[in-house]
Amino acid sequence: MKSTTIYKALFLVLGVIFLGYMIYGMGLDVIGANIKKMGFWFIPVIGSWLVIYVLNAFAFKAIIEDPQLPASNLSFWSVLRLTITGYVINYITPFVALGGEPYRIMLLKPALGVRKATSSVLLYSLMHMFSHVLFWLASIVLIVAFVPLSTLMLAGCGVMLVVGLVLGFWFIRVYQRGFTVSTFRLLEKMYFVNKIVKGFMAEKIDALHEIDEQIRILYAERKPRFYASLGLEFAARVVGCAEIYFTAQAVGLDMSITESLIVSSGSSLFANLIFFFPMQLGTREGGLALALQSIGMPAATGLFIGIVVRIRELVWIGIGLLLLQRTNVQSVGKETALETVSNKL
């Protein structure tokens, strides 16, 4: 309980500081002017991310729930809050997904146990990344079908296709066999950490094997939930294109939904290649400019879209920080141990 309280307090303070810094850096006048420029369209931009988080939460819930473990039947609202706050923590940490995941595990652990909590969070993170790879593969088809390509760009699409297929194959192998034990076996061979890893493996090998087994079971024995979660995550990726489409409409840019899909996937690929910047500072705008230029639209519009995206992130970081103060996870119909712990925070 003490570690959870400290963790929440640390990220709450860090989040408030980061949010204040970002607002100060952008300037209230710039934020206000761009919201005014968006007009009505700013509302669906914010609302589209509520839809995304709802889809993410349903995907996460599908993974968490296990008929053999009644305590895993958590309320949707609790999972939604945990989903949003986890992503908010990821926004404000320098390396993506190194803050929100431990937070989710700590909040789920009292209800599910550390192994089930860890495997559920790992499975959801894998599903989130796997859906991104599938989204990139789908976007390559759209790019080849709708964008005039030079020989160099066509070759680039070919390379992206091969990389995407290799990554897809790796994800399937992970779902079939797990990856925690193999990852630690690899770390054992690294000179600087091998002694620490060997000690950890000697103590936790049974837990790591159990986590890998739970990862395997989702794909091998719970396929309806596996595909439901994957489908929901993929749908969330598609809905994510809506903010680009809405922003383009606000400035009178004649962008189709297909083009917004291409711009979204192209810019996200570029941004994720340079993943270690908080909120992907600078990389998203560059990706948007390149993607817009590839479909024959002014690259300068990418800067405005990027600003709108950052303002949307500021809004949701603020919402997430409010939720962070009250986040708990409870079983449907009855209070669980995790709710009891969270209510005391």
Side-chain angles (χ1 to χ4, degrees):
M1 168 163 175
K2 185 176 179 181
S3 61
T4 305
T5 305
I6 293 173
Y7 195 90
K8 285 181 65 176
L10 173 64
F11 278 101
L12 183 60
V13 171
L14 180 63
V16 170
I17 293 173
F18 187 79
L19 180 61
Y21 173 76
M22 291 302 299
I23 292 174
Y24 174 79
M26 292 186 69
L28 288 173
D29 54 338
V30 173
I31 294 173
N34 281 278
I35 291 176
K36 184 178 180 180
K37 187 175 181 180
M38 282 292 296
F40 163 80
W41 290 104
F42 189 65
I43 297 174
V45 164
I46 298 299
S48 67
W49 274 82
L50 176 58
V51 176
I52 290 170
Y53 287 135
V54 166
L55 291 170
N56 292 153
F58 273 120
F60 194 13
K61 195 174 189 304
I63 290 172
I64 293 171
E65 286 184 353
D66 185 345
Q68 305 298 323
L69 184 63
S72 68
N73 188 22
L74 307 175
S75 73
F76 173 74
W77 170 239
S78 297
V79 177
L80 177 61
R81 284 194 291 180
L82 188 60
T83 300
I84 295 173
T85 51
Y87 280 127
V88 166
I89 291 174
N90 284 342
Y91 272 131
I92 62 178
T93 49
F95 291 88
V96 174
L98 290 188
E101 271 53 47
Y103 165 77
R104 287 169 176 162
I105 291 171
M106 282 195 296
L107 267 289
L108 287 169
K109 182 173 66 175
L112 307 180
V114 65
R115 298 179 185 182
K116 171 64 176 175
T118 302
S119 65
S120 295
V121 172
L122 287 176
L123 277 166
Y124 176 68
S125 297
L126 287 169
M127 195 69 74
H128 190 69
M129 291 185 286
F130 188 26
S131 69
H132 211 156
V133 171
L134 295 180
F135 182 62
W136 286 338
L137 290 173
S139 70
I140 292 172
V141 176
L142 292 176
I143 290 171
V144 172
F146 294 99
V147 178
L149 298 175
S150 64
T151 303
L152 181 61
M153 291 177 67
L154 191 60
C157 286
V159 172
M160 288 173 59
L161 178 63
V162 171
V163 171
L165 290 173
V166 170
L167 286 173
F169 176 76
W170 179 82
F171 276 108
I172 293 299
R173 295 279 287 183
V174 165
Y175 284 120
Q176 290 175 334
R177 300 182 178 184
F179 79 107
T180 58
V181 173
S182 59
T183 299
F184 278 97
R185 294 292 187 202
L186 180 63
L187 291 173
E188 273 188 319
K189 300 176 182 179
M190 297 185 179
Y191 177 74
F192 293 103
V193 297
N194 58 350
K195 291 183 179 180
I196 297 174
V197 173
K198 284 180 180 179
F200 180 84
M201 287 280 287
E203 181 182 352
K204 303 291 186 181
I205 187 64
D206 290 340
L208 294 175
H209 277 299
E210 183 176 331
I211 290 169
D212 276 349
E213 179 64 10
Q214 291 184 23
I215 290 172
R216 186 197 66 79
I217 285 173
L218 178 67
Y219 181 76
E221 301 177 17
R222 302 170 63 202
K223 281 189 182 295
R225 286 188 177 274
F226 175 88
Y227 288 115
S229 181
L230 181 59
L232 287 163
E233 280 294 311
F234 186 84
R237 298 288 181 186
V238 175
V239 175
C241 305
E243 69 177 344
I244 292 176
Y245 176 79
F246 292 144
T247 306
Q249 302 309 305
V251 295
L253 198 63
D254 186 21
M255 178 184 290
S256 67
I257 294 176
T258 299
E259 288 171 333
S260 70
L261 287 166
I262 293 171
V263 171
S264 177
S265 60
S267 61
S268 71
L269 175 60
F270 182 81
N272 279 273
L273 289 175
I274 312 177
F275 64 91
F276 48 81
F277 287 95
M279 291 180 68
Q280 302 168 333
L281 296 178
T283 61
R284 181 184 291 123
E285 287 77 2
L288 285 166
L290 290 172
L292 285 165
Q293 198 170 31
S294 72
I295 60 173
M297 294 187 177
T301 308
L303 179 60
F304 175 65
I305 294 176
I307 291 173
V308 172
V309 169
R310 299 214 177 280
I311 295 172
R312 181 267 300 164
E313 287 176 337
L314 291 177
V315 172
W316 275 104
I317 287 174
I319 294 171
L321 292 176
L322 292 174
L323 293 174
L324 185 62
Q325 300 179 66
R326 301 182 58 191
T327 300
N328 57 20
V329 178
Q330 60 185 24
S331 294
V332 175
K334 65 177 183 177
E335 187 181 63
T336 65
L338 184 53
E339 184 186 9
T340 303
V341 171
S342 300
N343 286 339
K344 294 179 181 178
L345 299 181

